[in-house]
Amino acid sequence: MAARGHVQDPNDRRLRPIYDYLDNGNNKMAIQQADKLLKKHKDLHCAKVLKAIGLQRTGKQDEAFTLAQEVATLEPTDDNSLQALTILYREMHRPELVTKLYEAAVKKVPLSEEYHSHLFMAYARVGEYKKMQQAGMALYKIVPKNPYYFWSVMSLVMQAISAQDEKLAQTMFLPLAERMVEKMVKEEKIEAEAEVQLYFMILERLGKCVEALEVIRGPLGEKLTSELQSRENKCMMLYQRLQQWPECNALAHKLLLKNPDDWQFYPSYFDSLFHLIDQSWIQPEEGDHCPEGEVHHTVAEVVRFVEERIKGEDGKESHSLRGPYLARLELMHRLRKRGCAEERLLGDPFELMVQFFGKFGDKPCCITDLKIYLHLLPAEQHVQFINRLSKAVPLREQGEEGFSFPEDTKALQRHLCLCQLSRALGLNHSLDVDGKLRLITELKAHYRYGLKFGKNAVKTELQFSDMYCLMAAHVYIDLWTETGDENMVWQCLGLLQEGLSHSASNAQFKLLLLLLYCRLGAFEPVVDLYSSLDAKHVQHDTIGFLLTRYAESLGQFAAASQSCNFSLRFFHSNQKDTSEYIIQAYKYGAFEKIPEFIALRNRLNQSLHFAQVRTERMLLDLFLEADIVLSLEESVRAMPLSAEDDDIPWDNMRDNRDLTVFTSWDPKERELTDEHRLRSLEEESVWLRLRSLTLRLLTFLAGLGHTPSQQNSKMSNENGVGDKTSVLGSLLSQLNQTLQTAAQLAEKHIQYPFLGPPATRLAPALSSGSCQCQAAALQLSVHLQELETVGLDESSELQTQICNSFKSLVVQLQEILNKCKGDLLEMKESKLKTQPSLLENLIFFVETVCIVLWMASYCAKILRPLKTGLQKKKKKKKDSQTALPVVVCGFQELTGSLQDLLTQALEHIKGQETGMTALKLASLTLEGPTQWLFFDMSVSLVVIRLELAVQSPSPQGFQYSAVEGMSEEELRDKALGLAKHALSGKSELEREAVLHQHIGSRAMGDMVIETFEPSQDKGGGEDPGGSAEQDGELQAVNTEDTKGSQEDGAVPGTAPDSPSKQLPDHISFFSGNPSVEIIYGIMHLYKTNKMTSLTEDVGRSAMVCILTVPATMTSHDLMKLMAPFNDVMEHMKIIRDSTPNQYMVLIKFCTQADADSFYTACNGRQFNSIEEAVCQLVYVERAEVIKSEEGASLPVMELTELPKCTVCLERMDESVNGILTTLCNHSFHSQCLQRWEDASCPVCRYCQTPEPVEENKCFECGVQENLWICLICGHIGCGRYVSRHAYKHFEETQHTYAMQLTNHRVWDYAGDNYVHRLVASKTDGKMVQYENEGDACHAEKIDALQLEYSYLLTSQLESQRIYWENKIVHLEKETAEEINNMKAKFKETLERCDNLEQRLGEITKDKQGIEKKYTQLNSRVVKLSQELKEEQEMNRCLRANQTQLQAQLAEEERKGKESALAGP
Amino acid sequence: MTTLRPFTCDDLFKFNNINLDPLTETYGIPFYLQYLAHWPEYFIVAEAPGGELMGYIMGKAEGSVAREEWHGHVTALSVAPEFRRLGLAAKLMEMLEEISERKGGFFVDLFVRVSNQVAVNMYKRLGYSVYRTVIEYYSASNGEPDEDAYDMRKALSRDTEKKSIVPLPHPVRPEDIE
């Protein structure tokens, strides 16, 4: 869900829990929460929409829709509602409603960029190109961004692509788009690469190659950078379209110089050459050269160019590229096709290919490369070619088998390639049967030898030699198809399974196995194989046919239905998902991809497989689930299907099957051709048409079922029936027509290659007669309809006709049934033969019977009212003499014969079952060496030790050792070495203590050993008379207890008081003859701690032990099991110890090889088909008899003593996790004990749980409470508050109904509610109304309330938490902001402070300066004033002087004057 | 001997020989479409002369430029069994690196199963180094334990000091990687 994160909006906060519930899939809570919210806030539209989403997801589509429309009509403009509605409409598959939504929103808020772009996307989702164009332009007007403009342009292009009228596209849409782009180009507004791409796309679609070329080569082309070589590739394409061969040639040549391995340019290079030759092009005058560079216009030049490239590669030290070498072959191929004599220039294809093999033979793809050019070799050179190549394969000296093997993986690859080539040349196919068998032996030998190179390979890797195995399998298949010898297929299966065991992830093995199993009619292993392929998504479409083709025809309806479901789910999701990515492509400007995505969507929607699974799934549902009376109608009603409309795109059907998925090296003439593909598609279509018509007719039939109710209203009836008859008529005539086509097609007997498309069910359906019978049954509905309108009285002719049809239906059904008879599996000349076609016919019979029964029930429905009418009449007339109408008699006859037929069929099926299980698989042997079955498997050998009590006699001839040439003493040393060491030097008492400790709580007991030895004078038990007598005798032995046998015959044993052997010559006429001994002690079973390989040449042992044989298996049965090995068996010892109900058998064979073949034949097999017990075999390394006092119970080095799982007796240490020890101190595999039905201990019958109670538990997790049982298949799973396994089961299987085990209430997963009305009463099993007041229910209610309440609480708490958390976040943010502000202020202040300080400093400095100046000035003032004073003083003095002088002067003057006067 | 070309939707119907390999995941159609819509240049397929698909690489460009984490990412790289040992994977990786160079990426990275020793070695040969281990990145289907992944990186020329590939000392959990 989108649009969260804004905490501020209170609505968002309120809605949030709903979003969360929806996200978590808790739809119910979401609905509740929404309801609550809506009570408080009536106008919170979004809550309504979210509720609708919840409703939609719980299957209440209608409610959801009304709710959504309520909101939609209000034309909301808030983000939340719009987005939620978009999601809802998409989930409803109603994307067209989203457009309406945003149209309204845009109208209300005309300037919103967001809503406009949503509107555009909404249009894109539904493909309304014209409106998209407008929306794009509107967007561009609001916000002039380039992408919006180009969205609009692309919408034009899409209009052109989708236009019905090509002319309209070429003359209107595309030119308009071109002009729009040109406008941008002129205004130099082109910005992005995508825009240039789009321009190019438009020009290309317009066919304006010259202009396109200009764009690409011009400055706009420089924007094309993200894709590598994009410009070059585009130029090349345009040159070709423009037929500018010189440029084409020159460019290709230039690009090849750069990368001589780039294959795509070689064809253009060669093509252009031939075009130039055809045009007799001449190098123009100088100065007029081709803009792309040099042009090669003669073959010689081109040959030289290729040779030069090859030389370049030859010169390289490592990693030569294959390109130039293959190009030479390609050139030769093309020259030859033209009939060009200059082919010689290149040399001899023979030599060229030999050279290629020499260079690249060690690459796995060598065969794929050369295969295309093998036709260059003339047929007579084929053998020579292979011989020549084999010289280039370094192999070792010939081994014993006459094969020489490769030294390393490279040599192996070369040899493999050689084998593949010779197959591809058809040399395998020309061999005779013996030759082929020899070839298989050789391939198998190579396969097994090659395994050693991949010993360390991890599980996911393939083995180097896997292809040998596959090739051998192919040869087996050749033999099978040619000779019809089914043994070949068995061998092939074995080989492939072997291959799979070494290379667990080889898909080719799996595919081929799958195919073979299907062809043999064995579907069981196929499901696992297919699921291990892990095919998903699109692979459902491409290889799903492998499964769906066979599942149904082999009667695996459930598996078929399931595989159809998987495929359907994929196809449905495609329809929804693809549109979203078309929108993405607009967003990211991947314009080129838009038409591609649309094509993909169409390709999937038109897939043949889609139509097939759709049809078959519905048919299967009907066959599986529809009951005769009611539920055909119901089932049909639930299906998206109508009789009138055909929803299969017959004309555009796409065959998406991957028919090349099988690797094959078949020669060309045997390969799959296009013709095959066409034929197969045609055949599939016809078959599909038959099936779809059958289905639609059945739908129609179901529809007829409820006409009686409509009968009341005459109006609708008249219209309805008139309509309906015409539909019925047209459907039936189509069916008949298709049947005719089908018959013609079947006559052609189209043969596909074995690995090609599987043939349809058409031919077998026709030959079984089921198609015709079904058609006849459906045809009957017309007559029945007629009868309904006419009534019984005046329709005797019609009635006879109907009766005749009834009769012929029965005859036809009987014929089909007859074709099913015979054994599915039968032994012929000791070879197993399968008859899958019988099974197939049986399925056809079942399907046909279903249809006939539906028809019959329809018939009954019509006859019933007619008959009651008749009876009323009878009563009125009181005329009991009138016979029943013909048709009623006929119908009664029909039901009688149908019942008869069904009984026959059931008996047949039962017979098959028993026949198959009773089939003696023991008599099945695979021809040829069988040892390979356990190639490279390892086992640990076991040691059996009898610990004897002191007084017990020791049994004769029991001791055995696999290692030959060891003396008895050495053996004893080996066995008792440790024990001796432990016991030596100890006192008697101490020794006893040690021994006692090791024996533990085991107690010694009687052991009976019976020894059988085949008589020497009788050559095995082949003689039937002989073996019968032998049987009788053995039974006698068995019924007597051991004491009885003591009395038998003479007692020539050495110990007179012991029961001793009965010599075989006493009863010489039978091959097995027991001698019985009783000893007292304990039997120990050890396994050796080292693994021994199961390969042929490793020494194991000639003695084999069957660990456990159930007591129900008499020795007579045992002898029967052993019968085929009587010849090679030395003796057989049956050991019975105190363990009840079972015994152990030791069998000594003449040679190890015999033991091996017995092991292969019998290990892991059931003793007989009725009991589950399996023959578990182990090799015995030695069997010892040791006295207890010698320390027989003490541990032995290299050996591990085994507990015995009394149920399966498998060595338990290899699955330690599953060991369970019970109260009575017996140990078992837990799984085995589970299978043990009752609660007592299998060994001592100790009762674990005193009262056996029903113990139900979840199949998946084992939980025991809150369990639900599926009412369809009985699966038990836990409820949704535990681990949801019951629900998971529903999801996987679509089994909708489950019953709670405690209170028997039934839940419907589809409706998500309880659906039970009636439940079986616990006391008497009667159906009673479920009581609501029941205690359990009450308690549950309280529980539910509590649960609900706690949910409520948690949700409230959660929302509170979120609220407060948000608050905290908010506060934090604010505080942080404040702090930041303060910090800033503080910083500012600091700065100012700094400034001031600085200024202060400056000022003080100034002040100091000034003060200084001041003092200076001051001193100067003082000085000056001093000076002034002095001056003044001086002045005064001077003035005084002056006055004085003046006075003097005046004196003088007066004197002078006086003198003058006084003068003369 | 290969045609390298952009992957198209039709190739989805032909790639079984590549995708039936157990280590190659087949994704839902939306996944492929997302890549084709968003990073078409990063989705390249190799085709043999006979028309068989040999292998493909699928990748994307992502990460923040500001934090110097803009890079090319390899989402899937797979080569069909019969076309292995030809150096095709190396060639495809080279192309992806070239494209990432052009887009100005600082490095190319990829995730690989720790157990897939073959692939890890190949990437090492191609110059990639383990940047970190992602715990339980690959979820197993059938009850087996989830598997760890190596996040391997190779610096491109834009990351001159090769800062982006300095290995992280501790493994991370899948939810910690963006």
Side-chain angles (χ1 to χ4, degrees), chain A residues 174 505 548 569 664 710 779 826 967:
Chain A
L174 288 173
S505 50
T548 49
R569 220 171 292 159
S664 141
Q710 288 178 358
Q779 199 84 45
E826 57 178 342
S967 73

Side-chain angles (χ1 to χ4, degrees), chain A residues 1140-1286:
Chain A
N1141 300 331
Q1142 64 175 53
Y1143 55 91
M1144 190 170 176
V1145 181
L1146 278 173
I1147 307 154
K1148 166 85 171 66
F1149 291 93
C1150 299
T1151 63
Q1152 180 179 318
D1154 301 324
D1156 285 347
S1157 59
F1158 177 68
Y1159 188 93
T1160 328
C1162 292
N1163 189 24
R1165 268 201 19 221
Q1166 279 170 270
F1167 286 111
N1168 57 41
S1169 49
I1170 299 150
E1171 276 172 280
E1172 278 186 28
V1174 168
C1175 178
Q1176 189 76 39
L1177 290 179
V1178 288
Y1179 284 98
V1180 177
E1181 191 187 84
R1182 53 183 200 266
E1184 317 165 325
V1185 184
I1186 297 172
K1187 291 276 181 192
S1188 179
E1189 64 211 18
E1190 289 175 278
S1193 55
L1194 262 62
V1196 187
M1197 289 266 276
E1198 301 167 1
L1199 295 182
T1200 312
E1201 178 150 17
L1202 297 174
K1204 285 191 293 181
C1205 168
T1206 350
V1207 184
C1208 73
L1209 278 223
E1210 271 175 75
R1211 279 152 295 145
M1212 303 208 330
D1213 61 327
E1214 274 155 34
S1215 50
V1216 175
N1217 49 351
I1219 291 182
L1220 195 107
T1221 306
T1222 57
L1223 289 176
C1224 51
N1225 212 17
H1226 288 108
S1227 301
F1228 313 93
H1229 284 135
S1230 53
Q1231 283 173 341
C1232 298
L1233 197 64
Q1234 268 166 30
R1235 274 182 286 179
W1236 200 261
E1237 302 257 320
D1238 61 15
S1240 62
C1241 168
V1243 178
C1244 65
R1245 299 285 163 200
Y1246 175 83
C1247 225
Q1248 306 278 338
T1249 32
E1251 285 166 355
V1253 286
E1254 275 183 13
E1255 274 196 334
N1256 291 316
K1257 56 183 166 192
C1258 171
F1259 285 4
E1260 266 82 26
C1261 64
V1263 164
Q1264 289 185 324
E1265 56 242 54
N1266 199 354
L1267 293 179
W1268 297 81
I1269 182 165
C1270 168
L1271 290 182
I1272 291 162
C1273 68
H1275 170 276
I1276 296 180
C1278 52
R1280 58 182 71 199
Y1281 303 114
V1282 189
S1283 305
R1284 300 164 53 86
H1285 284 125

Side-chain angles (χ1 to χ4, degrees), chain A residues 913-1152:
Chain A
E913 252 174 89
T914 42
M916 215 139 33
T917 39
L919 197 69
K920 293 275 178 289
L921 286 175
S923 41
L924 167 74
T925 47
L926 282 180
E927 276 174 12
T930 44
Q931 282 87 342
W932 49 261
L933 269 179
F934 45 94
F935 215 82
D936 219 283
M937 259 166 55
S938 304
V939 292
S940 36
L941 308 186
V942 304
V943 172
I944 291 167
R945 172 184 293 186
L946 293 181
E947 175 175 357
L948 292 185
V950 189
Q951 70 275 23
S952 170
S954 44
Q956 292 295 315
F958 186 83
Q959 282 178 345
Y960 162 78
S961 168
V963 189
E964 280 165 39
M966 252 220 258
S967 73
E968 211 158 293
E969 254 167 59
E970 279 173 316
L971 269 175
R972 281 189 88 77
D973 274 355
K974 202 173 171 189
L976 290 173
L978 213 71
K980 267 185 189 161
H981 183 73
L983 294 176
S984 65
K986 296 234 168 98
S987 74
E988 192 84 3
L989 259 170
E990 276 174 329
R991 285 177 70 148
E992 227 162 80
V994 170
L995 286 177
H996 188 74
Q997 188 193 344
H998 280 100
I999 290 182
S1001 56
R1002 287 178 285 201
M1004 298 215 172
D1006 277 339
M1007 278 184 283
V1008 182
I1009 301 174
E1010 297 170 46
T1011 308
F1012 292 86
E1013 277 179 58
S1015 75
Q1016 298 308 311
D1017 48 3
K1018 202 114 191 280
E1022 298 288 342
D1023 179 5
S1027 48
E1029 280 172 276
Q1030 162 203 343
D1031 291 347
E1033 190 59 42
L1034 277 175
Q1035 261 170 342
V1037 168
N1038 195 59
T1039 47
E1040 291 164 348
D1041 61 12
T1042 41
K1043 273 174 201 149
S1045 57
Q1046 277 179 49
E1047 298 150 15
D1048 238 357
V1051 196
T1054 43
D1057 57 343
S1058 76
S1060 61
K1061 42 186 175 174
Q1062 292 180 328
L1063 291 174
D1065 42 305
H1066 280 232
I1067 317 159
S1068 57
F1069 60 87
F1070 73 83
S1071 54
N1073 177 12
S1075 65
V1076 180
E1077 296 164 281
I1078 296 184
I1079 56 169
Y1080 187 73
I1082 301 175
M1083 187 172 67
H1084 296 267
L1085 188 64
Y1086 297 89
K1087 80 167 181 121
T1088 51
N1089 288 348
K1090 60 172 199 290
M1091 303 293 271
T1092 308
S1093 165
L1094 275 180
T1095 41
E1096 285 164 61
D1097 44 355
V1098 175
R1100 281 176 302 275
S1101 172
M1103 186 184 269
V1104 170
C1105 172
I1106 311 178
L1107 282 177
T1108 182
V1109 185
T1112 47
M1113 181 87 182
T1114 60
S1115 33
H1116 159 227
D1117 295 331
L1118 198 64
M1119 288 310 287
K1120 259 191 168 171
L1121 179 80
M1122 293 300 302
F1125 300 93
N1126 265 350
D1127 283 349
V1128 291
M1129 191 170 76
E1130 258 179 27
H1131 60 74
M1132 173 169 95
K1133 287 177 191 292
I1134 294 178
I1135 310 168
R1136 300 170 197 270
D1137 63 0
S1138 53
T1139 333
N1141 300 331
Q1142 64 175 53
Y1143 55 91
M1144 190 170 176
V1145 181
L1146 278 173
I1147 307 154
K1148 166 85 171 66
F1149 291 93
C1150 299
T1151 63
Q1152 180 179 318

Side-chain angles (χ1 to χ4, degrees), chain A residues 683-700:
Chain A
E683 199 189 318
E684 296 280 355
S685 300
V686 170
W687 174 242
L688 176 61
R689 207 182 270 272
L690 275 180
R691 298 291 274 182
S692 139
L693 284 169
T694 310
L695 181 64
R696 284 166 65 198
L697 278 162
L698 285 175
T699 320
F700 187 81

Side-chain angles (χ1 to χ4, degrees), chain B residues 45-176:
Chain B
V45 64
E47 198 180 62
E52 304 94 347
L53 298 191
M54 304 165 76
Y56 61 82
I57 194 166
M58 176 163 124
K60 61 180 170 184
E62 60 180 3
S64 117
V65 181
R67 280 187 289 166
E68 305 204 347
E69 280 169 1
W70 174 249
H71 68 279
H73 174 76
V74 184
T75 305
L77 167 64
S78 189
V79 175
E82 56 174 322
F83 297 106
R84 292 183 190 161
R85 294 163 226 271
L86 293 173
L88 188 58
K91 175 84 192 158
L92 288 168
M93 287 296 289
E94 192 187 299
M95 295 184 75
L96 188 128
E97 284 158 22
E98 165 70 26
I99 293 167
S100 302
E101 281 284 1
R102 287 192 196 184
K103 299 209 158 219
F106 289 90
F107 59 93
V108 170
D109 81 339
L110 55 91
F111 293 102
V112 59
R113 280 174 196 275
V114 171
S115 68
N116 194 351
Q117 209 51 49
V118 185
V120 173
N121 289 340
M122 181 194 77
Y123 290 128
K124 282 192 177 155
R125 268 202 309 283
L126 297 179
Y128 287 76
S129 58
V130 175
Y131 169 68
R132 58 186 168 183
T133 308
V134 188
I135 295 167
E136 288 168 7
Y137 180 78
Y138 292 103
S139 46
S141 50
N142 39 4
E144 288 166 33
D146 292 350
E147 197 177 342
D148 297 353
Y150 286 138
D151 179 356
M152 298 185 81
R153 291 187 174 183
K154 178 179 182 177
L156 295 179
S157 59
R158 188 167 172 188
D159 182 12
T160 40
E161 294 161 53
K162 310 232 178 284
K163 276 190 287 188
S164 59
I165 61 165
V166 178
L168 292 190
H170 302 296
V172 295
R173 302 210 58 92
E175 52 270 24
D176 300 332

Side-chain angles (χ1 to χ4, degrees), chain A residues 225 228 261 263-264 322-323 326 363 365 368 505 536-537 539 542 570 577 581 588 590 593 596 603 658, chain B residues 1-4 7-10 13 16 22 25-28 30 37-38 52 82 85-86 95 98 102:
Chain A
T225 51
L228 298 176
D261 200 39
W263 183 254
Q264 56 190 322
R322 290 136 61 233
L326 278 180
K363 306 276 185 204
C365 64
T368 332
S505 50
K536 289 189 256 187
H537 309 297
Q539 289 171 323
T542 52
F570 162 71
D577 295 339
Y581 292 93
Y588 298 120
K593 291 291 168 192
E596 199 181 311
R603 182 168 181 184
D658 185 0
Chain B
M1 171 48 41
T2 320
T3 301
L4 293 163
F7 192 93
T8 66
C9 290
D10 281 341
F13 296 89
N16 279 324
E25 177 76 12
T26 304
Y27 299 100
H38 203 155
E52 304 94 347
E82 56 174 322
R85 294 163 226 271
L86 293 173
M95 295 184 75
E98 165 70 26
R102 287 192 196 184

